[in-house]
Structure formats: C-alpha cells, structure tokens
Amino acid sequence: MNKLSTKIGFVLLTGMVITLIGSLLLMYKSTNDTVEKTIAMSSLDIASNISHAINPTSYAEFLSNQSETSTYWEIREQ
C-alpha cells in the first residue's frame, strides 16, 4: 500500500461506499414516508365514504348504548 494510486483508489472506493449507503438510507426513508402518507390519505377517504353512508341518528343511538343491538347490526351491515 505504498503506491499513491492505491491510496487514491482506496479513498475513492471508501467515498463511493459511503455515498451509496447514504443514498440507500435516504431512499428508504423517502419510500417509508410516502407509503405512510398514502395509507393515511387512503384511510381518510375510506372513513369519509363510510361516514356518508351511515345514518347519523342510528349511529348516535348506538353510541348511547354500545352493545350488539339491532341498531348495531344495521350499522354494521351498512
């Protein structure tokens, strides 16, 4: 390891490995954040669609008595 070209090659290889690891970590974080945001937005859309389909008076009745009554089964079927 006395040659200058060997030392320069080792430094360049180390820099490339560090750059590769850094870019992989950034790509993983970016992908993870994107997936979480997509799932959150999808869940909100599904919840919004469900809220429009449920009768508010039936749901209020169910909330006052949270047991498996006929109102519960009606809401669940909706």
Side-chain angles (χ1 to χ4, degrees):
M1 200 156 155
N2 292 334
K3 288 187 173 183
L4 181 59
S5 62
T6 307
K7 290 180 182 179
I8 291 173
F10 182 71
V11 169
L12 287 175
L13 181 64
T14 304
M16 289 171 50
V17 168
I18 290 172
T19 303
L20 176 66
I21 291 172
S23 65
L24 287 174
L25 289 174
L26 286 173
M27 189 173 18
Y28 174 78
K29 184 180 178 343
S30 174
T31 303
N32 193 27
D33 291 346
T34 303
V35 168
E36 286 181 3
K37 287 179 183 178
T38 302
I39 290 173
M41 290 172 49
S42 176
S43 298
L44 288 174
D45 287 341
I46 291 169
S48 176
N49 288 339
I50 290 172
S51 70
H52 292 298
I54 293 178
N55 184 354
T57 55
S58 299
Y59 189 65
E61 181 182 327
F62 166 71
L63 288 178
S64 66
N65 181 17
Q66 295 184 10
S67 60
E68 291 187 14
T69 61
S70 61
T71 306
Y72 166 80
W73 291 109
E74 288 174 18
I75 293 172
R76 184 170 172 163
E77 287 176 18
Q78 288 178 356

